Structure formats: structure tokens, C-alpha cells
Amino acid sequence: RDGWAIGCTPQYVVAVWAGNADGEGRPQLTGIAAAAPIMFDIFRLLKSPSWFMQPFNNMQQLAVCRETGYKASDVCTATDTIWVQQKGHTSPLCPYHQYIYLNQKEKRRVSSNCVSVSSMVKKSWFVLPPAMEYYYKNKNASYRVLPPFLPNCQTVDIQQKSFDILYPLRNSRILVPLELNGKPGRTVFEVTHRNASAELFWYVDNSFIQTSKEPHKISLNPEPGPHILTVTDDKGESKEVRFEVIQKVATKGR
């Protein structure tokens, strides 16, 4: 409903608002899409002759992970050195690089349950949570998903989740509009799983809905009110989100 963009140079401050005079919103009306292009056009017309001086006296250099931008840990394989504010050294270490253990061919993950420690290959790996991985790997061909475990070698790792619910978001409020034919519409719920062959079981308010295999998408039209979506995979891992279906409130014409 309101698209804002605010920027400044040493000489000017420019603020741009974009929206509808009647207050009606639309999904495409965002600051970066509607207001920011206008703001940059204005700055190009103003032609500021100088830029801000970098305050080196209040900055220090810090090694950061090249892939994530977090402060580099010992596990990060590629780093850059950048200038940050002095408190930057207190920022958290990169949480997305971790050590994994592979077989000698480095094609499968292993554990001490199935191979000797001396035959394991310790490797640093860039691992994103399933939801982030879903979007990141579509734009970054270099991203390597976690190798699968050797058969009968997988261990329970409570820190390494296998899947995420992409939609609905936690505590989201969903409006399902009517179709053009006047019938109730449906909304598409979506899950991403690291294992392409995984089978998922879907429940709404503890009532079983259906199973799915990749792609994990189902279309539903829950009744208005609060609901709980629960999804469980064939290994027993489970996730749930609360959401609410709302009804459109009629408004008086002007």
C-alpha cells in the first residue's frame, strides 16, 4: 500500500512515496519496485559533486566469509577482508559452513556407525537451511547440496533439518478470493525437502489430508479461522505452522 525510498548524499536528502490516493494496496507496490527508481532518477538530476568520506578512525578490518558475508570462522574456505565499524568484531561467526564426513570417494556422507574414523574424509561444506537452499541454488549453479549418507549409515542430527515449509509462513493471514466463476478459490501450500525421493504426509488441524512426492505442493481451501498445518516426512521429521484464513470485509463505496 505504501512504497517508500529514502536516500542521502552530502548535499541532499531525497524521500519518495509511491501509492494509490485511495489507499488501495497491491502486491507489486513496494519501495524497491515503485519508489526507488524515482529516487535514483532524482539523484541523477541533482548531480551531487562529492561523496561521504570513509571514517577510518572508527573502523577496522575484518575477515568475512566470501559466500555469506558473516565474520569468517575456521570452517570457512574462502574469505575476504573488509572495513567495518569497530564493533563489527562482535558480530556472529558464519553459521552456514560446517564440517561433514565423507567416504574415501567423497560421494557419500558417513559416520562412525558404519566406517572407521581413519577412513573418513573431513570436509568443509556450505550448508543452507532447506528453505534458503531452495531459492539460493536456483540462482547459484555452484551451490552443492549435501551428499546423501551411505545406506544404513545415517545418524540422527537434530541440528540438520531435512525440510522446510515454504508456504504458508508462520502466523500468516491468508485471504482466498473467489474465482471468476464465483466458486471459492484455493491456495497452494508448498514444502521443500533435501531428499528428492522423500514422501510427505500433510495434516490440517490433525486431520490427514494427503501424501505428496516432489514437487511437494497441495491446494486447499480451509474454512475461515485459525489452523495448524503439520507436515511429516517418511523418516519421522515433522514441522508445523499456524496460519489464519480471513474473509474479505466489504467496504462501502464512495
Side-chain angles (χ1 to χ4, degrees):
R1 186 169 58 189
D2 296 292
W4 285 95
I6 302 174
C8 62
T9 69
Q11 291 77 32
Y12 304 103
V13 175
V14 174
V16 176
W17 172 84
N20 295 309
D22 61 0
E24 181 181 356
R26 60 187 60 194
Q28 297 82 7
L29 208 165
T30 62
I32 195 170
I38 300 172
M39 182 191 71
F40 287 117
D41 285 344
I42 294 173
F43 275 125
R44 278 189 282 270
L45 292 173
L46 293 174
K47 296 180 180 178
S48 297
S50 62
W51 192 241
F52 297 102
M53 297 294 293
Q54 188 167 342
F56 289 106
N57 291 338
N58 296 315
M59 303 182 74
Q60 66 178 23
Q61 289 189 309
L62 182 72
V64 297
C65 174
R66 185 176 298 174
E67 290 178 291
T68 68
Y70 278 88
K71 185 170 67 174
S73 72
D74 295 337
V75 190
C76 298
T77 55
T79 62
D80 288 320
T81 301
I82 64 172
W83 287 98
V84 299
Q85 61 174 327
Q86 289 183 349
K87 290 187 177 180
H89 72 279
T90 63
S91 58
L93 294 173
C94 173
Y96 299 125
H97 278 90
Q98 63 184 48
Y99 285 121
I100 64 171
Y101 297 90
L102 305 171
N103 60 359
Q104 290 294 317
K105 295 183 179 180
E106 299 187 10
K107 300 295 184 182
R108 296 291 189 98
R109 280 186 288 165
V110 295
S111 71
S112 57
N113 292 343
C114 55
V115 299
S116 64
V117 175
S118 60
S119 64
M120 295 180 183
V121 178
K122 185 179 180 181
K123 199 96 170 181
S124 172
W125 208 274
F126 178 38
V127 185
L128 292 173
M132 294 173 64
E133 179 180 279
Y134 174 82
Y135 295 106
Y136 186 86
K137 68 182 181 181
N138 290 333
K139 300 292 184 180
N140 297 270
S142 61
Y143 182 80
R144 296 184 299 163
V145 300
L146 278 171
F149 276 94
L150 277 176
N152 302 318
C153 199
Q154 186 168 359
T155 59
V156 177
D157 185 355
I158 60 174
Q159 295 182 338
Q160 192 61 60
K161 303 301 182 182
S162 298
F163 72 95
D164 270 332
I165 298 174
L166 299 178
Y167 191 84
L169 302 178
R170 189 174 302 277
N171 297 323
S172 59
R173 304 179 74 217
I174 302 172
L175 172 64
V176 184
L178 296 177
E179 301 290 352
L180 293 177
N181 59 11
K183 294 183 178 180
R186 302 175 74 83
T187 186
V188 177
F189 293 175
E190 184 175 6
V191 169
T192 180
H193 201 291
R194 295 190 193 276
N195 183 0
S197 61
E199 184 176 17
L200 300 185
F201 306 87
W202 300 70
Y203 303 82
V204 173
D205 302 329
N206 294 323
S207 295
F208 175 71
I209 303 300
Q210 68 179 70
T211 62
S212 69
K213 291 189 175 181
E214 195 174 62
H216 300 290
K217 297 181 180 180
I218 66 171
S219 59
L220 297 174
N221 183 17
E223 294 293 326
H227 300 280
I228 300 176
L229 171 67
T230 305
V231 183
T232 303
D233 70 3
D234 46 14
K235 301 297 183 183
E237 185 177 333
S238 181
K239 286 186 176 294
E240 70 175 36
V241 294
R242 296 177 181 271
F243 67 97
E244 181 182 2
V245 175
I246 60 176
Q247 291 180 308
K248 186 174 183 180
V249 179
T251 57
K252 296 181 179 180
R254 296 182 178 179

